[in-house]
């Protein structure tokens, strides 16, 4: 993890939330947790991209748990 980064990797988010990488993806995709943005892959339509905000994740962790 790099200090000062505004985004978090899906791996780091999974560790912080106590779930799997796929769990983070599903929670974000379904709108259950708002910790970033899910970008649909326009070229294939199959794989999404996930941008996780460090600030939103930290706020989420302070307020509630999954």
């Amino acid at each position: 993890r790099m200090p000062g980064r505004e985004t978090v990797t899906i791996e780091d988010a999974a560790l912080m939330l106590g779930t799997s990488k796929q769990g983070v993806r599903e929670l974000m995709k379904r709108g259950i947790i708002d910790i970033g943005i899910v970008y649909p892959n326009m070229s294939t339509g199959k794989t999404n991209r996930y941008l996780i905000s460090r600030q939103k994740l930290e706020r989420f962790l302070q307020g509630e748990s999954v």
Side-chain angles (χ1 to χ4, degrees):
R1 182 186 324 176
M2 296 177 63
R5 280 191 68 186
E6 293 180 17
T7 59
V8 177
T9 65
I10 198 129
E11 291 85 359
D12 282 349
L15 283 172
M16 293 169 80
L17 291 166
T19 189
S20 66
K21 293 184 287 186
Q22 189 58 33
V24 173
R25 292 183 190 104
E26 288 298 322
L27 291 168
M28 288 181 71
K29 198 164 46 174
R30 295 178 187 185
I32 296 169
I33 59 174
D34 178 20
I35 58 168
I37 303 168
V38 180
Y39 292 102
N41 185 329
M42 296 301 182
S43 60
T44 65
K46 291 183 181 178
T47 307
N48 295 323
R49 288 185 52 230
Y50 298 83
L51 182 67
I52 302 170
S53 162
R54 178 176 300 284
Q55 186 177 24
K56 281 187 169 189
L57 177 59
E58 287 174 354
R59 250 189 264 137
F60 177 82
L61 289 169
Q62 289 170 359
E64 58 186 274
S65 60
V66 177

